[in-house]
Amino acid sequence: MGRKLLFEHIDKPGIRGLEGYRANGGYRSVEKALKTMSPEAVLEEVKKSGLRGRGGAGFPTGLKWSFLAKPEGVPRYLVVNADESEPGTFKDRYLMERIPHILIEGMITSSFALGAKVSYIYIRGEYFYVARILEQAVAEALAAGWLGKNILGSGFDHEIHVQVGAGAYICGEETALLESLEGKRGNPRIKPPFPAVKGLYDCPTVVNNVETIAAVVPIVNDGGEEYAKIGIGKSTGTKLISAGGNIKRPGVYEIDLGITCDEFINSDEFCGGVEGRAFKAVVPGGSSVPIVPYELFLKTPAGENRLMTYESLADGGFAQGTMLGSGGFYAYNDAQCIVRSTWNHTRFYHHESCGQCSPCREGTGWMEKVLHRLEHGEGRTEDIDLLWDIQRKIEGNTICPLGDAAAWPVASAIRHFRDEFEYHVHHRQKVKDPKHFEKEPFALSRKFATA
Ligand SMILES: Cc1cc2nc3c(=O)[nH]c(=O)nc-3n(C[C@H](O)[C@H](O)[C@H](O)COP(=O)(O)O)c2cc1C
Ligand code: SF4
């Protein structure tokens, strides 16, 4: 059983409110930081912890904070990314819904380190009820003196605002988020300049994921070195994984980075294995990361046990590896159709493309059309190469990574499950029945995947 840093008290009665949270040691990191530490010392602990951004890219948090420009007389901002629209990802919602004060606490401590007097939580429109929970937590913290002027007599002032988005996946991309927060259409900006130099209202800004900022609480409480003892190599600490699909025990789990993938998917502490059938494929980090056959999820190309870390999941590159991403984990059993799932993902990316770049705007639509006809028994053999060609022309040729995120699921599905795409061309009548693979599980692709 691993250590729980964020979820330790999550099931305690009354933990959502300030009183219950305080009774379980809440706001200790604010007391420690504001009364006994300098902002630089807090930053140092975050650097020592090895914490990497939990929003998907895994960028080292301490390093990002150290890039923050500090010109005289210009405000700095912390913006918490609670957009969480990546299909398969629902960890931040669970954390904010159950224990909102851990985020507020992390924001105060982090803002102290960054010298930010104002911070924002940008939360997706569909999480409206969670925004209400956060607003309540902010009001409680303000009334109790954890927010406002001269917090704990330290001279540090801080205010937090909760901003609800209109519900667009692209507003999770940090620069689109900033545009939206400024009241404009959420179109990604061209980088550089990066937000650390020119962010919200053109001022230096740090954008971090909800889980990243919550992790600052145990880091400051116990010290960065203690945090870095959990995990392996550059994957330190714990990670929230939202698990779904064809597993016995869907839910949100806090894992020690470094447990084996086998333990995560098969043990009763976590996913509990598959119900009644065999696993076929896994997407470990949200819909943007490459899908891998089950066998490749369990073992690296060298035949070693694969671990739930940034490095091990990526071992083998895109040809044979995948990514930890946002921790939006889902597994497919052998009754699932990979073509159907890929079509579904592509519909999403086409719908969510902001339309600024032609390869993304047009390419996602073309891929959707081709996948639609393959899935509906109207595909042609050359469609598979056409799909491959389109995704290649999107990848790396766009303003923001949504283009890549749309390309990678298609590329990996063809790479590992090409025979399933071919089956759709050669068995047009059969694949018109969306439940076809329930009756005739797709044995071919499992053979192909391990070859
Ligand atoms: C299309 C797109 C959607 C994204 N959605 C989210 C999101 O919902 N939440 C999030 O934290 N990061 C999201 N990101 C990543 C952010 O741009 C940014 O890297 C992240 O918020 C930084 O925080 P971190 O360093 O704590 O991970 C998204 C990126 C892209 C390209
Ligand atoms: S890649 Fe897509 S979503 Fe990103 S800026 Fe270009 S068109 Fe918009």
Side-chain angles (χ1 to χ4, degrees):
M1 181 86 130
R3 277 181 65 185
K4 303 286 172 257
L5 300 181
L6 306 184
F7 280 5
E8 187 183 357
H9 304 297
I10 204 152
D11 293 322
K12 302 254 172 83
I15 198 71
R16 191 188 274 177
L18 180 63
E19 211 178 302
Y21 186 69
R22 279 287 285 155
N24 287 287
Y27 287 95
R28 270 192 303 133
S29 79
V30 176
E31 279 179 324
K32 184 173 175 185
L34 270 58
K35 288 185 177 170
T36 68
M37 296 170 81
S38 65
E40 294 75 23
V42 177
L43 170 61
E44 209 40 49
E45 291 308 317
V46 174
K47 277 189 181 166
K48 274 192 225 157
S49 74
L51 174 67
R52 292 169 66 173
R54 303 304 195 213
F59 193 82
T61 306
L63 192 61
K64 183 189 267 194
W65 287 14
S66 65
F67 291 154
L68 189 70
K70 296 188 170 118
E72 281 296 314
V74 176
R76 283 165 236 156
Y77 296 106
L78 168 68
V79 176
V80 170
N81 190 342
D83 194 63
E84 198 170 55
S85 309
E86 174 91 355
T89 314
F90 46 92
K91 65 184 179 77
D92 296 337
R93 180 189 74 195
Y94 188 69
L95 191 75
M96 293 185 289
E97 200 179 293
R98 301 291 292 260
I99 183 162
H101 279 283
I102 200 169
L103 176 60
I104 308 300
E105 177 176 356
M107 288 174 74
I108 301 167
T109 307
S110 304
S111 297
F112 172 70
L114 297 168
K117 289 185 176 175
V118 179
S119 60
Y120 293 87
I121 304 171
Y122 182 92
I123 185 165
R124 63 182 286 188
E126 295 87 342
Y127 286 180
F128 195 74
Y129 70 102
V130 187
R132 291 289 161 268
I133 293 171
L134 291 169
E135 280 167 358
Q136 170 76 22
V138 169
E140 284 178 336
L142 183 63
W146 296 106
L147 285 170
K149 297 263 177 234
N150 192 22
I151 302 166
L152 304 179
S154 64
F156 176 62
D157 307 337
H158 195 66
E159 57 188 75
I160 294 180
H161 301 277
V162 180
Q163 176 64 46
V164 181
Y169 172 61
I170 194 56
C171 289
E173 193 284 330
E174 57 184 9
T175 60
L177 185 159
L178 295 174
E179 286 286 295
S180 173
L181 195 52
E182 290 178 5
K184 295 179 244 164
R185 186 189 156 107
N187 280 353
R189 298 174 182 168
I190 291 174
K191 295 191 262 189
F194 289 91
V197 176
K198 214 170 170 199
L200 187 64
Y201 308 121
D202 283 349
C203 297
T205 303
V206 163
V207 182
N208 271 135
N209 174 257
V210 169
E211 184 189 346
T212 313
I213 292 299
V216 171
V217 173
I219 288 170
V220 171
N221 281 340
D222 304 334
E225 272 173 27
E226 212 42 44
Y227 187 87
K229 283 182 191 161
I230 306 171
I232 293 180
K234 289 184 178 162
S235 296
T236 60
T238 64
K239 172 88 191 83
L240 302 184
I241 308 282
S242 49
N246 301 124
I247 51 173
K248 284 191 197 155
R249 290 166 40 82
V252 184
Y253 297 104
E254 181 171 15
I255 64 162
D256 280 10
L257 284 168
I259 63 168
T260 64
C261 292
D262 185 29
E263 180 182 353
F264 183 67
I265 196 168
N266 285 316
S267 81
D268 286 338
E269 191 185 343
F270 303 113
C271 301
V274 62
E275 189 81 72
R277 312 194 72 115
F279 279 127
K280 172 150 86 176
V282 173
V283 173
S287 63
S288 307
V289 312
I291 185 170
V292 282
Y294 176 59
E295 293 80 358
L296 260 186
F297 171 67
L298 294 186
K299 299 276 179 194
T300 65
E304 289 160 0
N305 282 337
R306 215 186 268 279
L307 310 177
M308 293 290 282
T309 64
Y310 293 96
E311 294 76 21
S312 184
L313 281 166
D315 190 345
F318 274 12
Q320 291 180 290
T322 175
M323 290 157 83
L324 182 60
S326 59
F329 175 99
Y330 46 98
Y332 297 72
N333 69 20
D334 59 1
Q336 303 301 332
C337 170
I338 299 297
V339 175
R340 187 170 186 80
S341 160
T342 312
W343 167 53
N344 202 23
H345 285 144
T346 305
R347 277 165 67 200
F348 171 79
Y349 289 111
H350 180 214
H351 184 261
E352 298 298 327
S353 167
C354 83
Q356 282 191 106
C357 339
S358 318
C360 172
R361 183 187 61 241
E362 304 299 330
T364 50
W366 295 341
M367 291 198 302
E368 186 195 335
K369 272 192 201 146
V370 176
L371 281 159
H372 180 277
R373 63 176 181 249
L374 281 165
E375 170 56 15
H376 292 84
E378 289 154 16
R380 306 173 296 223
T381 306
E382 58 270 29
D383 279 345
I384 305 169
D385 290 335
L386 178 61
L387 266 181
W388 184 261
D389 207 35
I390 301 171
Q391 66 77 25
R392 269 192 50 217
K393 287 178 176 142
I394 299 174
E395 188 191 6
N397 292 319
T398 55
I399 294 174
C400 92
L402 187 142
D404 301 337
W408 294 339
V410 174
S412 53
I414 298 176
R415 185 178 294 123
H416 296 298
F417 298 96
R418 190 179 181 104
D419 55 344
E420 241 180 90
F421 286 80
E422 286 166 357
Y423 184 94
H424 278 69
V425 176
H426 300 307
H427 299 84
R428 290 162 170 246
Q429 282 311 317
K430 284 187 176 182
V431 299
K432 281 183 181 170
D433 172 6
K435 295 211 181 284
H436 169 66
F437 290 120
E438 264 178 43
K439 294 170 229 155
E440 283 183 44
F442 202 85
L444 271 174
S445 56
R446 291 180 57 76
K447 201 170 70 195
F448 184 84
T450 50

